[in-house]
Amino acid sequence: MSIARILAQRNAGEIVTCDAAMPLREAVALLAEKRIGALPVMDGGRVAGIFSERDLMRRVVAAGRSPAVTKVTEVMTANPRTITPDTSVEECLFMMR
């Protein structure tokens, strides 16, 4: 089974992203509004990173950074591994291991 098929079954039409230059406070509000745990971070039409709740806790809260002045690009996980819609679930599981 492919990732595209799983997404189609879940009716996942919208992929929510944020811009690398977005203020962190806005990105956190977007996570809460959409009830999601992570956002792909876009920079010039390419995936530059991913910002997750884990990044928020470790790189912002634990580090004592201010969400009001920090940009997403400063605390995201850069250069994440990506897949295509035709990637199989088995290949994804292998990558995650």
Side-chain angles (χ1 to χ4, degrees):
M1 181 180 288
S2 72
I3 295 302
R5 187 168 174 195
I6 290 173
L7 291 176
Q9 289 174 347
R10 289 183 170 217
N11 197 20
E14 178 186 19
I15 297 175
V16 181
T17 66
C18 70
D19 188 83
M22 178 182 275
L24 190 57
R25 182 176 290 182
E26 290 179 30
V28 173
L30 190 55
L31 289 175
E33 174 190 332
K34 298 294 186 175
R35 300 182 57 144
I36 55 178
L39 290 165
V41 180
M42 306 302 290
D43 186 16
R46 71 171 188 85
V47 177
I50 187 162
F51 174 68
S52 68
E53 291 171 333
R54 177 176 277 187
D55 294 321
L56 174 64
M57 296 308 293
R58 290 184 175 179
R59 296 180 180 156
V60 180
V61 175
R65 296 181 81 145
S66 170
V69 297
T70 304
K71 302 288 186 207
V72 172
T73 192
E74 298 173 49
V75 294
M76 70 182 184
T77 299
N79 304 313
R81 293 184 74 176
T82 59
I83 60 170
T84 63
D86 61 327
T87 304
S88 71
V89 171
E90 292 80 16
E91 188 174 345
C92 290
L93 289 172
F94 179 78
M95 288 173 63
M96 290 184 338
R97 266 189 254 136

